Amino acid sequence: MIAYYAGDATAFRPYPTQKLTHIIYSFLHLKGTSFAFDKPQDQATVAALVALKAQHPQLKVLLSLGGWGGCETCSEVFATYQGRMAFAASVKEVLTATRTDGIDLDWEYPAVAGPPGHRFTPEDRHNFTLLVQALRTTLGNRYEISFAAGGFREYLQHAVEWPAVMPLVDRVHLMSYDLVNGYSTTTGHHTPLYSTPQQVPSVDDGVRFLDSVGVAPGKVVIGAAFYARVFRGVPNRQQGLQQAGTFKQAVNYRDFADSLSAARGFAFYWDEVAQAPYAYSAQRQEFATFDDAQSLQLKTRYARKKQLGGIMFWELTGDKPQGSLLKSLYQAAQ
């Protein structure tokens, strides 16, 4: 049960962190060839997370590199032996100094297009393997190494040398969200459990691909979303599903009662094929795609049935205080 966390030194306090196995602080970035905090208060946040381990001995705190828009120089730095080794040495220094438990690589993306303007080359694929090898050699087995993987086929097929990488890492975190995203021009489910005739990318599609290339199920962690993606200019057909639209904004689950309210015209629906909820407001011509308690319970049961490594989600503070969605995940996992 893995939470990504992008809050400050106090925002996690209302949430039931005792239900988590991992918190991944997001994000650190490259400063030259070094793994570095952006500002001093980020180190204070990590110290506060590490302090939770005194109360919850099972908890591990990892530090994440990159994120969307946060790995602009990754392709260049990790293209050389010197860059990879300098980075790996700096990771060990940071993990030792912060008393954290490992690194999560969120390079978006090796070898395939990520944020506009970010360099990507075919060589990134093998360089990612070499990066993971450098990290494991430098860190030994004391620290965990995981990485976030795009949940779409172009990434899965072209970004990672799966047979070479997976024996060296503890987990792959399948980003089975944002499958409909800010660049999409047709509405759909951004984090569906199953594919539909209109939309192939899904949790199940990603898991099936990883199984087909020999990734051990126990190292696969599937993703859930504690936020909605809202599209505007969506015509009133099929409750807005699979219609033309323009991305408007992301809305955290904790704000659904206001942003996706009946007063704004939103009605909620369920796609039996995708096993995913959605909402549409005819008066505003807006469509929303998200996870809810039911879809999270189904994802958790799926992970148990497939004997996967677990579930991760973006992002802890998107939940309602006291952890409504986190509790749904936890209860379904028991």
Side-chain angles (χ1 to χ4, degrees):
M1 200 79 70
I2 300 171
Y4 281 87
Y5 181 71
D8 61 19
T10 61
F12 61 83
R13 290 179 180 170
Y15 297 94
T17 50
Q18 72 276 10
K19 301 184 185 304
L20 298 169
T21 59
H22 297 71
I23 294 178
I24 303 180
Y25 176 75
S26 310
F27 293 98
L28 280 71
H29 297 102
L30 282 174
K31 187 175 183 179
T33 59
S34 294
F35 187 48
F37 287 99
D38 291 338
K39 47 193 183 297
Q41 53 263 47
D42 295 347
Q43 298 182 55
T45 300
V46 170
L49 295 174
V50 170
L52 283 173
K53 294 165 63 174
Q55 306 165 48
H56 314 311
Q58 86 290 349
L59 183 67
K60 293 183 183 295
V61 178
L62 273 61
L63 304 178
S64 187
L65 168 75
W68 184 257
C71 226
E72 185 172 6
T73 60
C74 287
S75 175
E76 181 181 0
V77 170
F78 299 145
T80 70
Y81 173 82
Q82 292 83 359
R84 294 187 297 268
M85 295 308 295
F87 173 74
S90 73
V91 169
K92 188 171 184 178
E93 289 179 9
V94 171
L95 298 182
T96 301
T98 55
R99 296 186 294 118
T100 47
D101 300 291
I103 183 171
D104 181 68
L105 298 168
D106 193 358
W107 175 359
E108 300 185 25
Y109 304 104
V112 302
H118 283 209
R119 168 180 141 154
F120 64 99
T121 72
E123 291 75 26
D124 291 340
R125 186 174 193 242
H126 185 58
N127 290 337
F128 183 72
T129 303
L130 297 175
L131 171 64
V132 172
Q133 289 174 346
L135 284 166
R136 184 53 78 198
T137 299
T138 302
L139 299 179
N141 293 322
R142 176 182 171 187
Y143 294 102
E144 291 192 359
I145 302 172
S146 59
F147 70 99
F152 52 98
R153 279 297 177 109
E154 186 183 12
Y155 177 98
L156 295 169
Q157 291 173 340
H158 301 297
V160 177
E161 295 175 330
W162 296 102
V165 168
M166 290 310 300
L168 300 174
V169 300
D170 294 88
R171 290 173 309 281
V172 53
H173 298 163
L174 184 66
M175 291 190 287
S176 42
Y177 44 72
D178 291 345
L179 301 178
V180 170
N181 54 57
Y183 298 95
S184 299
T185 56
T186 300
T187 65
H189 301 295
H190 96 85
T191 181
L193 181 53
Y194 292 104
S195 304
T196 70
Q198 297 80 25
Q199 181 181 332
V200 172
S202 68
V203 171
D204 183 62
D205 183 67
V207 169
R208 287 176 181 273
F209 176 86
L210 294 174
D211 182 63
S212 77
V213 294
V215 176
K219 286 192 171 185
V220 177
V221 172
I222 58 174
F226 283 17
Y227 62 96
R229 286 195 168 272
V230 180
F231 290 77
R232 57 181 170 81
V234 180
N236 188 9
R237 293 190 293 268
Q238 299 183 70
Q239 295 90 43
L241 186 60
Q242 294 298 323
Q243 304 299 313
T246 303
F247 177 68
K248 178 186 176 184
Q249 67 186 119
V251 175
N252 285 319
Y253 179 76
R254 65 172 185 258
D255 299 321
F256 279 16
D258 294 325
S259 297
L260 305 181
S261 65
R264 291 174 177 251
F266 280 97
F268 286 74
Y269 304 94
W270 180 260
D271 186 326
E272 288 288 350
V273 179
Q275 296 286 280
Y278 60 104
Y280 181 69
S281 169
Q283 78 181 46
R284 299 174 72 92
Q285 292 203 310
E286 291 183 356
F287 172 90
T289 165
F290 46 86
D291 264 324
D292 64 6
Q294 182 179 1
S295 67
L296 292 182
Q297 288 166 359
L298 291 167
K299 285 181 176 179
T300 308
R301 291 173 194 162
Y302 175 93
R304 292 293 295 269
K305 182 179 178 181
K306 297 281 188 178
Q307 297 184 302
L308 304 181
I311 289 191
M312 60 84 176
F313 56 88
W314 182 273
E315 180 264 349
L316 182 64
T317 64
D319 203 357
K320 294 179 181 177
Q322 312 311 320
S324 176
L325 290 181
L326 176 53
K327 286 178 181 176
S328 294
L329 278 176
Y330 186 79
Q331 289 165 2
Q334 301 312 298

